[in-house]
């Protein structure tokens, strides 16, 4: 069985979409998606610097649009994607990409929603100075107890010995200064404490935007960040996308579900690398591929043929 996964914020790098836009139709597709987001995603994917694409209001639409463009390069049609029988999952904002690929919402709806999400989360981040840091290693129970003692939220439980803590700048600094035993703390280049109560205002904004969308039921198995389980309907998928903004991402449980479903091959859409890195440590024996550039398409097709359901 095949899994196709979509990365979240922080995976983008300057110019990462440039080689993809050399493919037929890719520039036109990205231009149209940018129009729906009221952003020049072509410029942001090819020319904008790291600081510009770090901006939450830019980064989130850019990452979702990138996944949709790369999926179109990988599959001649969405019917071809459905024919693989793949499991779909996305990390944080990547869950919006996966939801579109599962045909729960259209690409245009995904971009409209992610644009609202990105703007609202950027505004929520401006209320109180907050941040996030990855905690690598250490005893899992000790890591979580340390975060609780400092008032931090385990915003991303990523598996493979990685937890992302989120809270105020002072709380993140305290964690950095006194990390759990045998753990490393790495501050992340994000604008706020995503997937925590600090994002509550953004939940209201995204909920209002989602109210105008009529979702379809998933055409493929779609896993939820909330608990790693497959969503049962389009309505549930949309509801969980809204609530996800202020709730932790349980990527560890998504990977456990993939293994329980019998996943044997995994492809991460661009900007790829992070989720494949986690899978290599937590999903031993599963063949993985990070689809970083068009040069990887041939290998991706080989993997798909070997692992389709």
């Amino acid at each position: 069985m095949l899994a196709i996964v979509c990365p979240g914020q922080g995976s983008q790098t300057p110019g990462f979409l440039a080689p993809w836009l050399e493919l037929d139709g890719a520039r036109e597709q990205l231009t149209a998606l940018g129009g729906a987001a009221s952003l020049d995603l072509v410029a942001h994917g090819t020319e904008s610097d790291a600081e510009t694409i770090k901006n939450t209001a830019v980064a989130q639409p850019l990452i979702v649009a990138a996944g949709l463009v790369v999926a179109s390069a990988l599959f001649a049609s969405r019917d071809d994607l459905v024919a693989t029988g793949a499991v779909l999952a996305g990390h944080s904002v990547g869950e919006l990409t996966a939801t579109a690929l599962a045909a729960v919402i259209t690409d245009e709806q995904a971009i409209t929603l992610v644009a609202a999400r990105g703007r609202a989360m950027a505004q929520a981040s401006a209320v109180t100075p907050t941040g996030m840091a990855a905690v690598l290693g250490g005893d899992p129970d000790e890591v979580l107890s340390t975060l609780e003692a400092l008032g931090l939220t385990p915003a991303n439980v990523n598996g493979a010995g990685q937890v992302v803590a989120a809270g105020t700048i002072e709380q993140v600094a305290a964690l950095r200064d006194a990390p759990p035993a045998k753990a490393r703390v790495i501050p992340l280049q994000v604008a706020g404490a995503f997937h925590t109560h600090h994002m509550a205002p953004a939940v209201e904004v995204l909920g209002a935007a989602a109210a105008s969308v009529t979702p379809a039921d998933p055409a493929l198995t779609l896993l939820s960040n909330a608990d790693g389980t497959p969503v049962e309907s389009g309505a549930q998928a949309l509801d969980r996308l809204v609530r996800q903004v202020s709730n932790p991402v349980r990527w560890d449980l998504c990977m456990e579900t993939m293994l329980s479903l019998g996943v044997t091959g995994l492809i991460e859409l661009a900007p790829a690398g992070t989720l494949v890195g986690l899978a290599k440590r937590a999903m031993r024996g599963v063949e993985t591929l990070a689809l970083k550039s068009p040069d990887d398409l041939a290998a991706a097709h080989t993997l798909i043929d070997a692992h389709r359901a």
Side-chain angles (χ1 to χ4, degrees):
M1 178 174 282
L2 178 70
I4 297 175
V5 297
C6 310
Q9 193 167 343
S11 55
Q12 72 279 11
T13 55
F16 78 96
L17 274 177
W20 293 100
L21 298 191
E22 296 177 9
L23 301 179
D24 289 346
R27 182 177 292 269
E28 290 77 12
Q29 183 183 6
L30 188 59
T31 299
L33 293 172
S38 298
L39 290 168
D40 187 348
L41 294 180
V42 171
H44 290 316
T46 58
E47 301 171 4
S48 294
D49 60 19
E51 191 63 25
T52 300
I53 63 173
K54 174 186 168 183
N55 181 328
T56 302
V58 173
Q60 293 191 12
L62 180 62
I63 290 165
V64 171
L68 298 175
V69 168
V70 172
S72 294
L74 183 59
F75 298 102
S77 70
R78 293 293 167 82
D79 287 342
D80 287 345
L81 168 57
V82 172
T84 67
V87 176
L88 296 170
H91 189 284
S92 187
V93 74
E95 191 169 12
L96 259 166
T97 317
T99 301
L101 295 180
V104 173
I105 54 179
T106 66
D107 290 4
E108 183 176 353
Q109 287 170 335
I111 289 296
T112 301
L113 290 176
V114 76
R117 183 186 194 270
R119 289 191 298 268
M121 291 176 73
Q123 291 167 358
S125 298
V127 174
T128 302
T130 56
M132 304 177 81
V135 183
L136 308 180
D139 177 78
D141 291 335
E142 182 179 349
V143 168
L144 293 178
S145 65
T146 299
L147 300 189
E148 183 179 3
L150 292 172
L152 289 158
T153 299
N156 302 162
V157 183
N158 288 331
Q162 183 187 118
V163 174
V164 175
T168 66
I169 294 297
E170 293 78 12
Q171 290 168 334
V172 173
L175 176 66
R176 184 191 61 227
D177 294 341
K182 299 182 180 179
R184 290 188 299 137
V185 176
I186 302 173
L188 300 181
Q189 296 301 307
V190 295
F194 305 148
H195 304 293
T196 71
H197 66 91
H198 294 285
M199 294 295 111
V203 174
E204 294 183 19
V205 173
L206 184 58
S212 64
V213 174
T214 302
D217 291 340
L220 288 164
T221 299
L222 174 65
L223 305 186
S224 166
N225 280 184
D227 54 12
T229 62
V231 298
E232 298 177 355
S233 67
Q236 185 191 51
L238 202 56
D239 177 65
R240 289 192 171 204
L241 277 174
V242 172
R243 291 190 289 116
Q244 179 223 64
V245 170
S246 63
N247 284 287
V249 170
R250 293 301 306 266
W251 191 251
D252 59 332
L253 299 180
C254 289
M255 291 192 292
E256 288 179 14
T257 299
M258 290 182 218
L259 289 174
S260 70
L261 291 173
V263 165
T264 53
L266 180 147
I267 295 174
E268 180 182 2
L269 302 182
T274 300
L275 300 183
V276 159
L278 293 172
K280 285 181 176 179
R281 295 190 292 275
M283 300 175 69
R284 298 292 176 88
V286 172
E287 185 179 2
T288 62
L289 187 145
L291 191 53
K292 295 183 177 182
S293 81
D295 293 340
D296 300 316
L297 285 170
H301 286 298
T302 298
L303 189 147
I304 290 168
D305 289 341
H307 297 281
R308 67 172 61 239

